[in-house]
Amino acid sequence: MNHVPEGLPPLLRSLAERITSSTHPVWPIPIFEAESYLYKYFLRRLLTVIDSLLNRPIAWPDIAALFYMPSRVVEFCYLFLGLRFSGLGPSERIRLAAHLIKVLSCLRPYDTFCEDGVNRLADQDHVASLTREQRVLKSSDERRLVSRISAALFSMCEFIHVGIPQYGRELHGPYVVEPGRFTLFRLHYDLRLSELWLPLEQFPFDEIEIVETYRGTPNMAQLDLTNHLTLSAGLHARFEKVVIRGRWNGTVRAIENWEWLLKVIVGTLDTCLKSAGSFTRVDWLRKHLEARCLYLKPHCELISHSHRPTHEEYNHLKDLPLSSGIEKTLAGTFDEVFTLMCSDFGMAAK
Amino acid sequence: MEGDNKYLLVLTGVAASPGSVIAPVQIIEDNSDPDSFPEGAVLVASTTNPTLVRFMMKASAIVTELGGRLSHAAIVALELGIPCVVAIENARTLLRNGVLVQVDGDVGKVFVLGEGGAVSRNHESCA
């Protein structure tokens, strides 16, 4: 099958735009250097896992559910930059892209590529019911406290997911429930990934979701394909109502004591950072590899595969990064990067 | 970087989180202690990452030498609702602890107003 999936050109266009328009994460390791260690084995692993699930057979919605959130899938797509190092043939590359686009369209059915600036994942009734649970922020101190919780959670996700918080954080919305107001969700998940970071065993929640309502129009908060949020100036002062919910062992409850929550998040992050305090570059590369493989654990359990990195994958971390082959690409223009990514799929750039 | 007759110095970077604040500078080095970071100071660092979260939550604005609109500093500043200007080369050399600055995250500039609390006689309203 070499038929180019319909969604591939817009996906590559968005990725090329993101790659060329902004600086890239450098903590704890420059991200393209870390990801270059995934090109040789992980891309094939991803393809094999999805192929095996389809052969079971398991339906697409159920496969998509294993990936859980669309931004995690989009992050996998950045690995397309290293396709030429993956050993995947032309039809395998197309099949991998088609699989990931299919998963993305299942998880984000309304506007798969967020072309309208909206990441719509919840239905209107669910949003409305949560806005009824929100409490009005009484002061700028309360607003600041919620913002600090959000910032601390962002940093916690960045740590857990070894430099890329989008692997464990999904912003979605904006949703309009009543005129003159809009609602944004900030979901942070896999917060107790203790198989990766032992200190997370003590954290009280698997997920924390912050549901925020602002006075204003939804164009004041725009989300793109890569889950980056653009906010209008002065929006913070329009932050009106919020509910913070925590999920533990399948039970969801509103969290009322925000000071306690902030203390727990920052305390857990501190403990985690201390546990990695003496990490070398190779230690971080190991964690990076283990994290990406761990995201496929639910998939692997269904097909009786191990999700753990192989000896070959660990040994590969001792090699020089393959990113030296794409450094020139990363420094290129949008047209250069887009053309290159298209050519790796045997497509003309248009 | 430019001299300007309204301010002692104007540093230009990239606007990363909107808003404007006037506060004294506090430069972060590797061995800085979050407990000694003054509440409401302008955090100035080479770059930021999760190890600096305790500092960032006390800051009224963030200025970094490296990074772009989607860097850690930018995103955390957006979450916190505080102004942020990134990519100001040599910010830690050009600024000093205690110096009063205006950080304008809408236009991506840092205006150096004067020594801690004191304002240059050429200073006009920063609003």
Side-chain angles (χ1 to χ4, degrees):
Chain A
M1 169 185 95
N2 276 358
H3 171 69
V4 172
E6 198 183 302
L8 186 53
L11 173 62
L12 295 183
R13 198 170 288 119
S14 291
L15 291 173
E17 209 171 87
R18 177 60 59 221
I19 287 165
T20 55
S21 68
S22 150
T23 58
H24 305 295
V26 294
W27 187 91
I29 298 223
I31 192 55
F32 290 110
E33 180 182 330
E35 286 192 342
S36 76
Y37 288 97
L38 302 181
Y39 298 151
K40 193 170 176 188
Y41 297 105
F42 188 81
L43 283 167
R44 182 167 294 283
R45 175 192 284 258
L46 198 46
L47 176 64
T48 303
V49 159
I50 302 176
D51 278 345
S52 300
L53 289 167
L54 285 168
N55 287 340
R56 273 280 311 262
I58 293 180
W60 273 117
D62 296 322
I63 294 175
L66 296 169
F67 285 90
Y68 197 44
M69 283 290 144
S71 292
R72 183 170 278 188
V73 181
V74 172
E75 290 303 322
F76 282 142
C77 293
Y78 276 102
L79 298 175
F80 290 165
L81 262 180
L83 272 174
R84 73 197 82 116
F85 303 111
S86 68
L88 294 176
S91 64
E92 290 176 313
R93 296 178 188 191
I94 294 281
R95 197 163 80 244
L96 176 60
H99 286 348
L100 291 178
I101 288 168
K102 182 67 183 174
V103 168
L104 198 54
S105 69
C106 288
L107 292 173
R108 194 186 272 155
Y110 299 106
D111 180 2
T112 301
F113 303 110
C114 300
E115 281 162 319
D116 286 341
V118 179
N119 182 18
R120 190 172 294 122
L121 303 184
D123 67 55
Q124 202 68 356
D125 290 338
H126 178 65
V127 179
S129 91
L130 287 182
T131 58
R132 285 192 287 274
E133 285 184 37
Q134 289 175 321
R135 75 180 202 221
V136 174
L137 293 162
K138 296 195 209 79
S139 64
S140 56
D141 282 348
E142 277 203 331
R143 214 174 278 129
R144 195 175 305 124
L145 178 53
V146 175
S147 300
R148 284 176 174 181
I149 289 169
S150 193
L153 279 169
F154 168 77
S155 288
M156 189 171 167
C157 287
E158 191 175 2
F159 173 86
I160 293 172
H161 299 283
V162 197
I164 304 293
Q166 287 89 341
Y167 274 117
R169 182 177 184 254
E170 186 82 27
L171 308 182
H172 61 102
Y175 304 97
V176 177
V177 170
E178 54 174 308
R181 285 174 175 76
F182 66 88
T183 299
L184 267 180
F185 285 63
R186 297 177 197 263
L187 172 67
H188 310 81
Y189 59 98
D190 275 348
L191 295 172
R192 297 181 81 240
L193 215 57
S194 55
E195 187 174 334
L196 189 64
W197 301 105
L198 195 53
L200 293 177
E201 234 174 30
Q202 306 306 319
F203 194 69
F205 301 104
D206 298 306
E207 295 183 3
I208 294 175
E209 181 179 63
I210 306 176
V211 184
E212 308 171 345
T213 293
Y214 295 82
R215 285 188 326 278
T217 51
N219 62 354
M220 292 175 165
Q222 299 279 280
L223 280 163
D224 69 14
L225 171 71
T226 58
N227 214 230
H228 286 103
L229 180 63
T230 305
L231 294 173
S232 293
L235 191 61
H236 203 251
R238 294 165 170 263
F239 183 15
E240 191 180 64
K241 300 188 284 186
V242 73
V243 61
I244 303 179
R245 295 168 8 121
R247 177 188 293 270
W248 185 74
N249 255 0
T251 305
V252 180
R253 62 174 176 93
I255 304 169
E256 304 290 353
N257 189 338
W258 296 343
E259 265 119 1
W260 164 82
L261 179 62
L262 180 62
K263 202 169 156 192
V264 164
I265 296 166
V266 174
T268 303
L269 178 57
D270 276 348
T271 306
C272 286
L273 285 165
K274 276 196 190 90
S275 75
S278 58
F279 267 29
T280 62
R281 176 179 169 276
V282 171
D283 291 326
W284 280 115
L285 287 175
R286 285 180 69 100
K287 279 295 178 187
H288 178 266
L289 170 64
E290 286 164 1
R292 306 311 179 243
C293 289
L294 194 51
Y295 304 146
L296 299 181
K297 183 177 178 182
H299 314 60
C300 290
E301 280 174 345
L302 286 179
I303 52 178
S304 306
H305 283 193
S306 171
H307 66 277
R308 294 192 169 80
T310 60
H311 282 306
E312 279 173 316
E313 286 174 295
Y314 279 122
N315 283 339
H316 181 46
L317 300 179
K318 297 176 196 158
D319 297 332
L320 287 174
L322 290 168
S323 57
S324 53
I326 59 165
E327 262 160 20
K328 201 171 162 208
T329 307
L330 294 172
T333 62
F334 166 80
D335 284 337
E336 286 166 349
V337 174
F338 181 56
T339 301
L340 195 74
M341 292 181 88
C342 288
S343 72
D344 281 343
F345 284 102
M347 281 167 31
K350 42 181 169 175
Chain B
M1 184 177 93
E2 50 195 273
D4 187 294
N5 59 7
K6 291 184 187 175
Y7 312 104
L8 294 177
L9 197 58
V10 180
L11 308 180
T12 302
V14 171
S17 176
S20 181
V21 104
I22 296 174
V25 159
Q26 186 68 33
I27 297 169
I28 301 298
E29 307 289 359
D30 285 343
N31 56 357
S32 295
D33 171 20
D35 289 335
S36 61
F37 185 89
E39 183 79 40
V42 172
L43 185 155
V44 178
S46 161
T47 181
T48 67
N49 59 55
T51 61
L52 298 185
V53 138
R54 283 193 186 271
F55 296 94
M56 297 172 88
M57 290 200 294
K58 291 168 88 173
S60 61
I62 299 172
V63 173
T64 64
E65 295 176 334
L66 303 171
R69 278 190 317 107
L70 301 179
S71 61
H72 180 269
I75 295 175
V76 171
L78 274 172
E79 298 283 332
L80 292 170
I82 61 175
C84 178
V85 178
V86 299
I88 294 188
E89 210 174 318
N90 297 320
R92 291 175 299 161
T93 314
L94 294 166
L95 298 169
R96 278 198 314 283
N97 283 341
V99 162
L100 196 68
V101 296
Q102 179 187 3
V103 178
D104 190 332
D106 294 308
V107 301
K109 290 183 191 265
V110 175
F111 302 91
V112 180
L113 305 180
E115 297 301 324
V119 172
S120 158
R121 64 184 172 86
N122 292 324
H123 167 63
E124 295 175 16
S125 165
C126 298

